[in-house]
Amino acid sequence: MQLARPIRFYGKKRGDRRTGSNQQGRFWLGLLSAACLLAGIIPLVYILVVFAIPEWRVHHRFVHTKARVLDSRIVEWTNDRFSPEIQLEYHLASRPDDAPLTAWSEYEIIPVHSRGGQHWERAYVEELLSEFPTGSEHDSWYDPRRPERIVLKQAYTWSAWLMLLLPVAFITIGGGGLILVLLTWGKSTERLSAQRPPGMDILQPKSQARGNLLAQFPFVPNPDELGDSPGTLLTHRLPPAKAEWRLFAAAAFCLFWNSLVAFFVTILIQDFREGEPDWWMLAFVIPSLSVGLAALAYVGRLVLIAGGVGPTIVEVSDHPLALGGEYELALSQTGRLHIESLDVRLVCEEVATFQQGTNSRTTVRRVYEQLLISEQSFEIHHGLPFEARARLQVPAAAMHSFQAIHNRVEWKIIVRGAIQRWPDFERGFPLVICPGAATGGNL
Amino acid sequence: MIAPAITLTLHESRRVYRPGEKLSGQYYIEAVEGTETVAVEISVLWHTEGKGDEDIAVHFFDRVSQDERAVLDFRQPRVFSTVLPNSPLSYEGVLIKIRWCVRLRVFLSRGKQIVEERSFQLGEVPPARAVLP
């Protein structure tokens, strides 16, 4: 039998997006969370029962006494693993006048609880027992609930306490997932969205700092979050887009990568000097070295742009702007440069973020561009910045600034410069544009 | 199972609304023997389509469900109305599309759901076209 189209097991494709049953998705999320929770609880209980609680009890509940060694032996387990056993004679602290008690001690508390799971090599056990010759007296601690349980060592296994972090992480993820499933089970997407408390709604703008302005325009980004400040040429100075992280990230990568490459290059040089060249390593190092050099060149370029080109200042006569509105824009560029060309543009870009497998990807598409200032071949002298003004006519028939979790419409001023004997630079200045009269809103 | 007939209408038949305008409509469900309507949710919402993962936000929401005290008759028309917000406006972008709609979700017995939508346009933003940087 020929099927008209193949059976889809996990959902269907609609446009650019895959869709499926929410309920089915939540069921699988619940199942996965439960498995995660279980994967956390089992090792947590094991670590608590075998290591944490017994060791804590030895420190805080066991009673101290002096014990005399009567005998010792080595117990052999499988796979050439051994554990020590020491016969002790001791008095109970609560009954010092009674006849002494005799018991076999397993040296420390862990073997008692791990059912012989803590074993060592024979040489180590022999060395351990040599510290407890027959007739010698030692500090020891016994369990008041079962006085025949006595240990000669009071210590914490710190690796076990650190290992607690792993099951705790599993429990947090699994428990959180299960709570999410329980809270959303049987509820429609619309009901969940409508019931989200205002403070919890991450789609909504965080603050309404400009009085009622942002309350009027939901999902238009808050201009205060851009951090604009009063200007000196015009009313508002636009903050530059945060690009410092790019230099920082590139420098960190460059340092890490080239340190690794330097390590391998050192080994390689040593091998060559000793007359035993490692050709496989050479084949690995050559492309790695190329990547390292490219990273170094990129960082150098960013440093040149950041340090060589002076600050760019963009100011506007009002902010936020409105679609269809007319404003004034001022540009100030400092430095000591010979500019080949300098362009200032108003642009609008769509930014879409989507999951592709386990990666989160972002695609940007420019949908509007307007040239505001264009200057060719001029000098900027030290202490005498280049200044220019332009009329900023925001188009009436366009989309306003928009911000949701995965999708954004961003407006910004872009300053792009080509400098003689220097890398080109581009600086962005985000701004907020609200719906205007032509599209139905009024500032 | 035969699905019950759902009627969802907007009082004004036009497709474009301006921000701040009132949007109203009504719905009713014609019962079919053997199926029981457990609850009904009416929402006025926007959601995104396109390259990015979906964003959704509900502007108006109302849920009517059967309870033990009274049996509701969903065959009787129920009216809803809301004042539309100033943003986000409907948008036909290159990567992003913002769609407004009235969505009626009917919950039937045994966990079945039926969804009926009436889309409308908020504002008049013309479609966008890609520009090469």
Side-chain angles (χ1 to χ4, degrees), chain B residues 42-62:
Chain B
I42 184 90
S43 325
V44 177
L45 58 94
W46 64 264
H47 63 98
T48 59
E49 285 178 9
K51 189 83 175 172
D53 289 343
E54 186 183 43
D55 289 313
I56 181 170
V58 174
H59 171 66
F60 168 83
F61 179 80
D62 187 37

Side-chain angles (χ1 to χ4, degrees), chain A residues 207 250 256 321:
Chain A
S207 68
F256 170 73
L321 314 182

Side-chain angles (χ1 to χ4, degrees), chain A residues 201-365:
Chain A
D201 196 343
I202 48 177
L203 278 170
Q204 289 283 6
K206 283 177 197 160
S207 68
Q208 308 293 339
R210 294 279 174 100
N212 289 324
L213 182 70
L214 280 173
Q216 275 181 45
F217 298 108
F219 302 97
V220 171
N222 184 352
D224 287 346
E225 285 181 7
L226 292 180
D228 67 338
S229 54
T232 51
L233 305 166
L234 293 169
T235 321
H236 294 269
R237 177 170 295 183
L238 297 177
K242 291 179 176 60
E244 297 85 3
W245 66 269
R246 194 186 297 171
L247 176 59
F248 177 76
F253 171 78
C254 185
L255 190 71
F256 170 73
W257 186 267
N258 285 312
S259 303
L260 273 181
V261 171
F263 174 73
F264 285 112
V265 166
T266 312
I267 294 174
L268 203 63
I269 291 171
Q270 212 165 355
D271 289 348
F272 267 90
R273 275 185 178 169
E274 289 167 3
E276 293 173 356
D278 188 338
W279 299 108
W280 285 111
M281 191 183 280
L282 182 69
F284 164 75
V285 162
I286 288 172
S288 306
L289 193 64
S290 316
V291 173
L293 290 174
L296 207 62
Y298 182 68
V299 171
R301 185 176 182 275
L302 291 181
V303 170
L304 281 179
I305 292 171
V309 183
T312 306
I313 292 168
V314 175
E315 293 182 0
V316 283
S317 55
D318 199 5
H319 194 241
L321 314 182
L323 289 172
E326 197 176 315
Y327 306 90
E328 209 179 339
L329 177 134
L331 168 79
S332 171
Q333 177 63 56
T334 56
R336 212 166 111 184
L337 310 162
H338 179 83
I339 303 276
E340 288 178 346
S341 68
L342 186 77
D343 292 347
V344 181
R345 289 164 204 269
L346 170 68
V347 302
C348 177
E349 290 175 343
E350 293 177 8
V351 183
T353 306
F354 55 98
Q355 285 294 125
Q356 198 168 57
T358 52
N359 298 327
S360 179
R361 296 188 182 280
T362 298
T363 305
V364 180
R365 194 64 51 87

